Amino acid sequence: MEKGYARFAGVRDGSAAWKARANGWIRVMHEDILPATLIYTFATVAFYLLGAGVLNTLGHIPESSKMIENLSKMYTECSGPPA
């Protein structure tokens, strides 16, 4: 909706031409989703590995109840008390 794909399909009148335009834009949306999903997945994995590497180097082993505390220590050590 944000990219305006539906706008280019025209008014929904149920005609064969409208269905062809709508199916064309649905195909475009599918082609748009794949690269976006790959990029988001790669970025998530990269941040996960970066965080795990930094925490391991600092010797912080996050446990479920101490996760926020460990992350707070990490940011404080890097950026100072305001972080």
Side-chain angles (χ1 to χ4, degrees):
M1 293 303 291
E2 290 83 12
K3 291 186 176 185
Y5 291 140
R7 178 178 63 237
F8 296 112
V11 177
R12 184 178 185 171
D13 58 8
S15 67
W18 178 84
K19 288 180 184 178
R21 284 192 309 272
N23 284 333
W25 283 108
I26 289 171
R27 193 174 341 105
V28 169
M29 288 187 285
H30 283 141
E31 292 173 4
D32 186 42
I33 282 173
L34 181 62
T37 302
L38 292 174
I39 290 169
Y40 296 144
T41 301
F42 177 76
T44 300
V45 169
F47 278 108
Y48 177 80
L49 293 174
L50 178 65
V54 169
L55 288 174
N56 186 42
T57 301
L58 294 175
H60 299 298
I61 301 174
E63 298 173 11
S64 60
S65 62
K66 301 243 182 203
M67 175 66 82
I68 300 299
E69 184 180 331
N70 283 330
L71 291 175
S72 175
K73 285 181 189 176
M74 182 180 75
Y75 286 122
T76 303
E77 289 173 6
C78 294
S79 303

